[in-house]
Amino acid sequence: MAADECRRDGVSSELDVLSSTLMGDAFDMLASGDEVNVLLVVQDEDGNAGSYEFSDDGIEQCIEAARSKVLELRHAMGDEEAGLGLPVRYALAYEGAVGDDDGSYQDALMLEFGERGYKSYSAFSYFECRGEGDGFRWTEPAPAGELEPLI
């Protein structure tokens, strides 16, 4: 049996809080009119978290750099400078667009998240009215599929 077949479905409460907090921070940035770069937060078993931002390349390169950072942190057993031990969960957020059935695209905040022993997933939330403060609106996250686990 392959290792991925032994992974559990679902999301732990710790990963739910980690990913929800990251999305909330990204929504606050969008409401203020700020650009959301590729944001990554990684957490160890003790709840210590390291945050990273990627913006020096195109979006695809930044997403790949963030994913590589998770793998690097896992291999390095954490990030001493950030006070992070062996990573057990992560969440990654970035701006994107999601196509509708009619072929049009809507702005969306994309989220990828995973945890040791669990399957990894992606989700998205549509948003509109960037930079309009209290007028900023977003939808509840919708599932976007399963991903290759990084942890």
Side-chain angles (χ1 to χ4, degrees), residues 27-34 128-138:
F27 285 144
D28 288 346
M29 294 170 70
L30 290 167
S32 296
D34 297 332
E128 57 187 14
C129 303
R130 175 201 304 262
E132 294 187 21
D134 291 339
F136 176 76
R137 295 190 310 263
W138 70 93

Side-chain angles (χ1 to χ4, degrees), residues 16 85 89 97 101 109 112:
D16 185 46
R89 65 190 63 89
D101 292 337
L109 181 65
E112 299 180 11

Side-chain angles (χ1 to χ4, degrees), residues 68-134:
S68 293
K69 183 68 173 181
V70 175
L71 297 172
E72 173 190 316
L73 292 169
R74 186 182 77 186
H75 181 6
M77 307 282 289
D79 181 347
E80 188 175 332
E81 188 175 304
L84 178 69
L86 178 64
V88 296
R89 65 190 63 89
Y90 70 93
L92 169 65
Y94 51 91
E95 286 186 60
V98 175
D100 285 340
D101 292 337
D102 66 4
S104 63
Y105 285 85
Q106 292 185 31
D107 290 333
L109 181 65
M110 313 302 287
L111 180 71
E112 299 180 11
F113 50 98
E115 184 167 8
R116 184 176 62 210
Y118 287 85
K119 294 179 180 176
S120 296
Y121 301 101
S122 61
F124 67 92
S125 290
Y126 292 121
F127 67 86
E128 57 187 14
C129 303
R130 175 201 304 262
E132 294 187 21
D134 291 339

Side-chain angles (χ1 to χ4, degrees), residues 46-57:
D46 293 329
N48 301 312
S51 297
Y52 307 89
E53 186 171 351
F54 302 84
S55 62
D56 291 340
D57 287 312

